[in-house]
Amino acid sequence: MRALSAHLLSVLVVFGPLHVVRAQTINVALPFRRTFSLSVSAAPLLLSLPTQSDSYWLSVALCGAVLPYPRFFISNESSITSPGPGGVQGSQAGEELNLNEGLITYQVQTSSGGTFAIWPSAGAGANWTLDVAAIQDSSPVHRRLSQLPLLGDTTATRAIIFSPPFFAPAIEEPMYPNYTFQETTPFVPPLPSSMEPNATLLLFPTANANATVWLTNSACALTSKLGGVITTTTTRTVYRDSNGWRRQWFVDGLSASTNYTAYVVEDGARVSGPSYLRTKSDSFPCPLVHSVPYCPEVSYPVPLPAPPGSATSYTDDNLPQSIRDVAVSSLANFTKSLRTFPCGRDWYSRLQTCSGCQAAYRKWVCSIVFPRCGEPIPEESLRSPSGPLTSQFSLNDGGNGDGQTFDLNPLPQAALAERKDGVPRSSFLPNMNVAYNELLPCMETCFIVDRSCPPLLGWKCPSVLVNANVSYGLGFIDSWDGTIEGGGHPGVAQDEFGRIWCNG
């Protein structure tokens, strides 16, 4: 796919009036990708499709919301060289293809040749720009990705956002007698340079996104709105979890208590999003912590004083040594205990392995060593509408949510524990000297260790019938007693609308 981007050329197609200038025909050879500019007075643009027995993908991204949109027609017969609308001089029969939020994807079969035609529409006030591609592959060049951008978390003016995973390396389970455990800092599988896309984060205030961000399936249309938010970003590629490699953005310069809409564009062609996030209030005291190699999933605010010097966040380079020592020693001691079981030789579960046990413990201990700060979810966002959930954010930003009906069973509030006077839960954490809310770990982070590890370790979680709710968030992912997987309310630790119920 990266090699294909080298074929991206910019071609200006200028035609005279229909009765004077004939349509220009461009021959398509796979792989093909070009950008065209088409004026309202131009003749139709005709692309002569290749003759081949195997199917291939044709995709078109409209790069700007110039109304009315052009019309698109295709034929898979060599005798039809100018497919177009009926009743128009020079057009022949053909199938009309419709834009879906600025995007057309179509699997083509042209064993006897064919033509793709783009017809200008009368009355447009400017030229149309179109990004057209054809490729013989399992998926089209332009497409909407199924996975969304992932929110790490926010403070009042900063956020950590991840792209969808773009490369998941195969991880082999160790075998006896050479059963190798992960070190304190887990092994990071290499990322082939050819697998890393050119990823761009696009961030818009949700309050006016619907009015200013159109054609959301079109990468070039979204990218043209890049100047909508003035922010500073620092980016790096990370292997965050077993889902694979992602791009991480550290965003600065946001406004407090504001809803934002995030998209990620890969290689100027693939769109992921939208995901939503809300920045914390002006008084939110906790800084972001991220890029901790032994706890790679930590990317959220932690109850620590302001970072030293000019730093805007904590990483492993400037973390207090006392916190680092607790995390590293806990991971090392647990792995030492796990080695007493003959991993890979004796099987204690049909589903679980020692490597899964170690990974589950890492997730749990990191959520304990790095407690997460949070704020209550706005009450308006807890009402679950039967229509599109984006209306909740327009409510928060002054909209009226017209046309929405709301579920009488609202979503639960986040599992927060108030730490008065900034006194932390653990002695190795510094005193904040200011009150804050701690977002409790999800109960499932403890349960998964119990389910994943050999019984000889004697792992026990607090009873949900007694006092587990003091230390954990219950009933958000699984049922409150853990017996029904996914049976909690809402069924996740956080969702794509920026609501975070527990640290999991």
Side-chain angles (χ1 to χ4, degrees):
M1 192 67 71
R2 177 177 290 274
L4 179 61
S5 63
H7 294 273
L8 180 59
L9 303 175
S10 180
V11 178
L12 180 64
V13 182
V14 181
F15 299 100
L18 285 174
H19 65 279
V20 176
V21 179
R22 293 182 178 180
Q24 178 180 344
T25 300
I26 296 175
N27 293 320
V28 173
L30 303 181
F32 175 90
R33 188 176 180 188
R34 291 185 183 178
T35 300
F36 298 96
S37 180
L38 183 66
S39 72
V40 66
S41 60
L45 171 63
L46 303 179
L47 300 181
S48 179
L49 302 176
T51 300
Q52 62 175 61
S53 57
D54 295 330
S55 63
Y56 57 94
W57 284 101
L58 174 71
S59 58
V60 181
L62 183 62
C63 300
V66 178
L67 298 173
Y69 299 146
R71 298 176 68 183
F72 306 86
F73 295 84
I74 193 168
S75 74
N76 59 0
E77 300 178 24
S78 58
S79 60
I80 300 177
T81 58
S82 182
V88 177
Q89 183 178 2
S91 72
Q92 299 169 282
E95 178 184 357
E96 184 167 8
L97 306 181
N98 296 315
L99 287 165
N100 176 15
E101 290 296 324
L103 179 66
I104 289 174
T105 56
Y106 186 81
Q107 196 161 22
V108 186
Q109 186 84 39
T110 52
S111 55
S112 60
T115 303
F116 178 60
I118 305 174
W119 287 74
S121 297
N127 291 353
W128 298 278
T129 301
L130 304 110
D131 186 2
V132 182
I135 187 173
Q136 190 167 342
D137 203 347
S138 58
S139 55
V141 172
H142 306 92
R143 64 183 186 272
R144 188 66 170 266
L145 299 176
S146 59
Q147 291 187 285
L148 299 173
L150 174 67
L151 172 66
D153 210 333
T154 69
T155 63
T157 60
R158 302 180 178 108
I160 296 175
I161 303 171
F162 298 90
S163 73
F166 50 79
F167 178 68
I171 304 295
E172 293 186 3
E173 177 68 21
M175 299 297 292
Y176 183 85
N178 297 317
Y179 201 97
T180 304
F181 288 92
Q182 291 279 14
E183 300 295 333
T184 301
T185 297
F187 168 74
V188 176
L191 171 63
S193 58
S194 61
M195 300 304 298
E196 183 175 0
N198 180 11
T200 302
L201 173 67
L202 307 175
L203 205 57
F204 309 98
T206 302
N208 57 14
N210 290 338
T212 60
V213 184
W214 297 0
L215 309 178
T216 54
N217 284 341
S218 168
C220 56
L222 283 173
T223 305
S224 70
K225 299 290 185 180
L226 184 59
V229 174
I230 305 301
T231 59
T232 301
T233 61
T234 302
T235 182
R236 59 193 293 265
T237 303
V238 297
Y239 186 78
R240 186 175 185 270
D241 52 38
S242 59
N243 290 318
W245 287 91
R246 301 175 185 260
R247 198 70 182 161
Q248 173 188 291
W249 289 273
F250 182 89
V251 185
D252 201 352
L254 303 176
S255 299
S257 301
T258 302
N259 297 311
Y260 289 91
T261 302
Y263 293 88
V264 170
V265 172
E266 294 182 357
D267 292 333
R270 301 180 298 278
V271 176
S272 169
S275 287
Y276 302 91
L277 57 123
R278 181 177 176 83
T279 51
K280 305 295 194 297
S281 63
D282 267 326
S283 59
F284 186 74
C286 303
L288 288 166
V289 175
H290 62 98
S291 305
V292 181
Y294 40 88
C295 290
E297 293 188 50
V298 172
S299 53
Y300 50 76
V302 174
L304 293 171
S310 60
T312 55
S313 63
Y314 281 96
T315 67
D316 192 47
D317 294 332
N318 59 2
L319 271 175
Q321 187 65 41
S322 59
I323 300 176
R324 185 185 295 108
D325 289 345
V326 171
V328 169
S329 62
S330 297
L331 289 165
N333 291 337
F334 182 83
T335 301
K336 184 177 180 180
S337 298
L338 187 57
R339 290 182 190 276
T340 62
F341 183 82
C343 296
R345 188 194 72 182
D346 294 356
W347 299 97
Y348 59 91
S349 169
R350 293 182 178 181
L351 301 177
Q352 306 296 340
T353 64
C354 289
S355 59
C357 167
Q358 187 187 32
Y361 179 80
R362 184 185 302 276
K363 186 178 183 71
W364 176 85
V365 77
C366 290
S367 71
I368 301 301
V369 175
F370 294 95
R372 185 171 186 167
C373 298
E375 283 188 335
I377 301 171
E379 290 299 322
E380 297 88 348
S381 294
L382 296 178
R383 290 185 289 164
S384 181
S386 57
L389 287 175
T390 53
S391 64
Q392 297 174 74
F393 299 98
S394 66
L395 281 169
N396 290 344
D397 287 314
N400 57 18
D402 288 345
Q404 296 297 317
T405 57
F406 290 88
D407 192 344
L408 296 179
N409 183 24
L411 293 167
Q413 187 51 261
L416 297 171
E418 184 180 4
R419 304 302 179 194
K420 296 181 179 180
D421 301 322
V423 178
R425 176 183 59 193
S426 303
S427 59
F428 57 83
L429 292 170
N431 195 320
M432 285 279 287
N433 296 317
V434 61
Y436 65 92
N437 287 315
E438 180 184 334
L439 187 72
L440 297 179
C442 303
M443 189 72 219
E444 289 73 18
T445 61
C446 186
F447 282 159
I448 194 63
V449 182
D450 187 24
R451 295 167 183 166
S452 301
C453 294
L456 67 84
L457 294 181
W459 183 268
K460 296 294 181 183
C461 298
S463 172
V464 297
L465 299 175
V466 184
N467 61 350
N469 63 318
V470 175
S471 302
Y472 293 93
L474 303 182
F476 295 107
I477 303 175
D478 298 338
S479 59
W480 69 274
D481 58 357
T483 58
I484 304 176
E485 186 175 356
H489 188 46
V492 291
Q494 73 178 68
D495 66 9
E496 67 268 33
F497 300 99
R499 297 174 293 206
I500 306 173
W501 284 276
C502 56
N503 187 14

